[in-house]
Amino acid sequence: MSKQIFIILFLMIIGNVGCSGKYNSQEIKSEIKSNQPIYELEIEAQGCYLEVYVNDVPVYFNYNMGATVLRMPINNFIPKSGSQKVSFKMVSVDRKPFSTNTYASLTINEYPKGETQQKKPVFSYQTFPFESENAGSFGIENSFEANIPYQLIDWRKGVDLTKEDPEAVRKEIEKVYKDYTEAFKKADLSKYKTLAKWRQENIFTSMYYTQDQKSQVEKSYVDEIQNQKVKLFPLENYKLVFYGNGKLAGLQKKNEAPGIYIDSENKDDAFLEYILLYRKSKDAPLEVIL
């Protein structure tokens, strides 16, 4: 499985849950029964590298050659109902002007869970043909309205991590990365669940998982990992990055999504797990939230 495909598949099941990790489950269950909207991003692009963001959080990175065609749910990037920001950036693959065949098309559809035939667009944008003389880069920022029956932990209310000591933030994140690697190396499901507890609960809330679905997903967290070969990609090869208008932080390899790259003696077994962290309050630890 390629790293790009793994990132896409992983993003298709990640999410967030809400209000300080506490919520009235009965109220949410009651609302969800009658309202389970899925917000799905559709992307088509060719002739460019592409980055897509929702609420200033990276949803998709593509730095591979060739055309892009994909669909993925983005509920986990929508903390609560209302206006949501969407943006994307295009860069030419050779840093030269885009060719006349270069284009990108983004659509966000809304539909009831399991009823894709009822999808309706809430956002749509397609680039115009580029003139022969162009900068080789292009981007837009816009918004769409979402109406969801739950409220996730809103990282936008967290601490502005860009105002903290970057070295201290980095060291704290590196500790999480090392713990993650150990969890994979030992196939330690309990440790993994502790490290990712908010994110994993968020999955079940934003994607309306049943208890059976939750149990099945939990069993798969560390399955099929060649744990004896797992190793942490050298941390000096990551850069510290901030998203969510400074409320989210992570480490990022060049031309990859933010997250931990789980290396292996066998390169075919290597993969990337998307990770972004936030700090709820000044004295709280950084926690995995996306």
Side-chain angles (χ1 to χ4, degrees), residues 56 85-88 123 125 139-143 245:
D56 193 41
K85 185 170 72 172
V86 58
S87 59
F88 74 89
F123 171 81
Y125 183 88
I140 68 151
E141 181 177 308
N142 213 310
S143 63
N245 298 309

PDB file of all heavy atoms in Angstrom, residues 56 85-88 123 125 139-143 245:
ATOM      1  N   ASP A  56      -8.587  25.769   7.901  1.00  0.00           N
ATOM      2  CA  ASP A  56      -7.134  25.915   8.028  1.00  0.00           C
ATOM      3  C   ASP A  56      -6.469  24.643   8.557  1.00  0.00           C
ATOM      4  O   ASP A  56      -5.409  24.693   9.166  1.00  0.00           O
ATOM      5  CB  ASP A  56      -6.764  27.104   8.923  1.00  0.00           C
ATOM      6  CG  ASP A  56      -5.288  27.472   8.806  1.00  0.00           C
ATOM      7  OD1 ASP A  56      -4.764  27.464   7.674  1.00  0.00           O
ATOM      8  OD2 ASP A  56      -4.656  27.738   9.850  1.00  0.00           O
ATOM      9  N   LYS A  85     -14.595  27.263   6.603  1.00  0.00           N
ATOM     10  CA  LYS A  85     -13.663  27.781   5.605  1.00  0.00           C
ATOM     11  C   LYS A  85     -13.076  26.630   4.795  1.00  0.00           C
ATOM     12  O   LYS A  85     -12.722  25.585   5.357  1.00  0.00           O
ATOM     13  CB  LYS A  85     -12.548  28.571   6.281  1.00  0.00           C
ATOM     14  CG  LYS A  85     -11.597  29.258   5.296  1.00  0.00           C
ATOM     15  CD  LYS A  85     -10.667  30.212   6.017  1.00  0.00           C
ATOM     16  CE  LYS A  85      -9.615  29.494   6.832  1.00  0.00           C
ATOM     17  NZ  LYS A  85      -8.589  30.402   7.387  1.00  0.00           N
ATOM     18  N   VAL A  86     -12.976  26.808   3.491  1.00  0.00           N
ATOM     19  CA  VAL A  86     -12.325  25.825   2.629  1.00  0.00           C
ATOM     20  C   VAL A  86     -11.338  26.558   1.731  1.00  0.00           C
ATOM     21  O   VAL A  86     -11.614  27.658   1.248  1.00  0.00           O
ATOM     22  CB  VAL A  86     -13.364  25.040   1.790  1.00  0.00           C
ATOM     23  CG1 VAL A  86     -14.208  25.971   0.936  1.00  0.00           C
ATOM     24  CG2 VAL A  86     -12.671  24.008   0.906  1.00  0.00           C
ATOM     25  N   SER A  87     -10.167  25.979   1.544  1.00  0.00           N
ATOM     26  CA  SER A  87      -9.153  26.608   0.697  1.00  0.00           C
ATOM     27  C   SER A  87      -8.285  25.537   0.062  1.00  0.00           C
ATOM     28  O   SER A  87      -8.226  24.395   0.540  1.00  0.00           O
ATOM     29  CB  SER A  87      -8.279  27.571   1.514  1.00  0.00           C
ATOM     30  OG  SER A  87      -7.631  26.896   2.570  1.00  0.00           O
ATOM     31  N   PHE A  88      -7.621  25.897  -1.027  1.00  0.00           N
ATOM     32  CA  PHE A  88      -6.665  24.975  -1.615  1.00  0.00           C
ATOM     33  C   PHE A  88      -5.544  25.747  -2.281  1.00  0.00           C
ATOM     34  O   PHE A  88      -5.684  26.925  -2.624  1.00  0.00           O
ATOM     35  CB  PHE A  88      -7.340  24.004  -2.595  1.00  0.00           C
ATOM     36  CG  PHE A  88      -7.744  24.590  -3.917  1.00  0.00           C
ATOM     37  CD1 PHE A  88      -6.865  24.601  -4.994  1.00  0.00           C
ATOM     38  CD2 PHE A  88      -9.020  25.100  -4.109  1.00  0.00           C
ATOM     39  CE1 PHE A  88      -7.235  25.115  -6.230  1.00  0.00           C
ATOM     40  CE2 PHE A  88      -9.408  25.609  -5.341  1.00  0.00           C
ATOM     41  CZ  PHE A  88      -8.510  25.618  -6.397  1.00  0.00           C
ATOM     42  N   PHE A 123     -20.676  23.363  -1.839  1.00  0.00           N
ATOM     43  CA  PHE A 123     -19.543  24.171  -2.313  1.00  0.00           C
ATOM     44  C   PHE A 123     -19.030  23.550  -3.595  1.00  0.00           C
ATOM     45  O   PHE A 123     -18.937  22.328  -3.721  1.00  0.00           O
ATOM     46  CB  PHE A 123     -18.414  24.207  -1.282  1.00  0.00           C
ATOM     47  CG  PHE A 123     -17.156  24.841  -1.808  1.00  0.00           C
ATOM     48  CD1 PHE A 123     -17.019  26.217  -1.843  1.00  0.00           C
ATOM     49  CD2 PHE A 123     -16.118  24.044  -2.293  1.00  0.00           C
ATOM     50  CE1 PHE A 123     -15.862  26.801  -2.356  1.00  0.00           C
ATOM     51  CE2 PHE A 123     -14.961  24.627  -2.798  1.00  0.00           C
ATOM     52  CZ  PHE A 123     -14.838  26.011  -2.831  1.00  0.00           C
ATOM     53  N   TYR A 125     -16.075  24.499  -6.926  1.00  0.00           N
ATOM     54  CA  TYR A 125     -15.155  25.433  -7.582  1.00  0.00           C
ATOM     55  C   TYR A 125     -14.307  24.667  -8.588  1.00  0.00           C
ATOM     56  O   TYR A 125     -13.818  23.568  -8.305  1.00  0.00           O
ATOM     57  CB  TYR A 125     -14.232  26.120  -6.584  1.00  0.00           C
ATOM     58  CG  TYR A 125     -13.334  27.145  -7.239  1.00  0.00           C
ATOM     59  CD1 TYR A 125     -13.757  28.458  -7.405  1.00  0.00           C
ATOM     60  CD2 TYR A 125     -12.078  26.779  -7.725  1.00  0.00           C
ATOM     61  CE1 TYR A 125     -12.952  29.392  -8.048  1.00  0.00           C
ATOM     62  CE2 TYR A 125     -11.265  27.716  -8.363  1.00  0.00           C
ATOM     63  CZ  TYR A 125     -11.714  29.014  -8.522  1.00  0.00           C
ATOM     64  OH  TYR A 125     -10.926  29.938  -9.160  1.00  0.00           O
ATOM     65  N   GLY A 139      -4.274  29.714  -5.712  1.00  0.00           N
ATOM     66  CA  GLY A 139      -5.024  29.299  -4.531  1.00  0.00           C
ATOM     67  C   GLY A 139      -6.287  30.117  -4.367  1.00  0.00           C
ATOM     68  O   GLY A 139      -6.397  31.224  -4.915  1.00  0.00           O
ATOM     69  N   ILE A 140      -7.245  29.550  -3.663  1.00  0.00           N
ATOM     70  CA  ILE A 140      -8.473  30.271  -3.334  1.00  0.00           C
ATOM     71  C   ILE A 140      -8.848  29.990  -1.883  1.00  0.00           C
ATOM     72  O   ILE A 140      -8.393  29.016  -1.279  1.00  0.00           O
ATOM     73  CB  ILE A 140      -9.664  29.872  -4.232  1.00  0.00           C
ATOM     74  CG1 ILE A 140     -10.093  28.424  -3.945  1.00  0.00           C
ATOM     75  CG2 ILE A 140      -9.357  30.076  -5.694  1.00  0.00           C
ATOM     76  CD1 ILE A 140     -11.546  28.164  -4.188  1.00  0.00           C
ATOM     77  N   GLU A 141      -9.691  30.846  -1.338  1.00  0.00           N
ATOM     78  CA  GLU A 141     -10.272  30.627  -0.014  1.00  0.00           C
ATOM     79  C   GLU A 141     -11.737  31.021  -0.087  1.00  0.00           C
ATOM     80  O   GLU A 141     -12.079  32.074  -0.623  1.00  0.00           O
ATOM     81  CB  GLU A 141      -9.564  31.460   1.045  1.00  0.00           C
ATOM     82  CG  GLU A 141     -10.094  31.255   2.446  1.00  0.00           C
ATOM     83  CD  GLU A 141      -9.321  32.055   3.483  1.00  0.00           C
ATOM     84  OE1 GLU A 141      -8.081  31.933   3.498  1.00  0.00           O
ATOM     85  OE2 GLU A 141      -9.969  32.809   4.248  1.00  0.00           O
ATOM     86  N   ASN A 142     -12.610  30.137   0.402  1.00  0.00           N
ATOM     87  CA  ASN A 142     -14.038  30.393   0.357  1.00  0.00           C
ATOM     88  C   ASN A 142     -14.679  29.770   1.580  1.00  0.00           C
ATOM     89  O   ASN A 142     -13.993  29.414   2.531  1.00  0.00           O
ATOM     90  CB  ASN A 142     -14.627  29.833  -0.948  1.00  0.00           C
ATOM     91  CG  ASN A 142     -15.788  30.668  -1.464  1.00  0.00           C
ATOM     92  OD1 ASN A 142     -16.712  30.980  -0.722  1.00  0.00           O
ATOM     93  ND2 ASN A 142     -15.727  31.035  -2.745  1.00  0.00           N
ATOM     94  N   SER A 143     -16.000  29.587   1.579  1.00  0.00           N
ATOM     95  CA  SER A 143     -16.675  29.005   2.729  1.00  0.00           C
ATOM     96  C   SER A 143     -17.913  28.234   2.286  1.00  0.00           C
ATOM     97  O   SER A 143     -18.392  28.394   1.164  1.00  0.00           O
ATOM     98  CB  SER A 143     -17.066  30.092   3.737  1.00  0.00           C
ATOM     99  OG  SER A 143     -18.000  30.991   3.160  1.00  0.00           O
ATOM    100  N   ASN A 245      -5.142  28.050  12.439  1.00  0.00           N
ATOM    101  CA  ASN A 245      -4.841  29.412  12.911  1.00  0.00           C
ATOM    102  C   ASN A 245      -4.032  29.397  14.202  1.00  0.00           C
ATOM    103  O   ASN A 245      -4.247  30.210  15.105  1.00  0.00           O
ATOM    104  CB  ASN A 245      -6.136  30.207  13.093  1.00  0.00           C
ATOM    105  CG  ASN A 245      -6.892  30.363  11.785  1.00  0.00           C
ATOM    106  OD1 ASN A 245      -6.323  30.780  10.777  1.00  0.00           O
ATOM    107  ND2 ASN A 245      -8.172  30.007  11.780  1.00  0.00           N
TER     108      ASN A 245
END
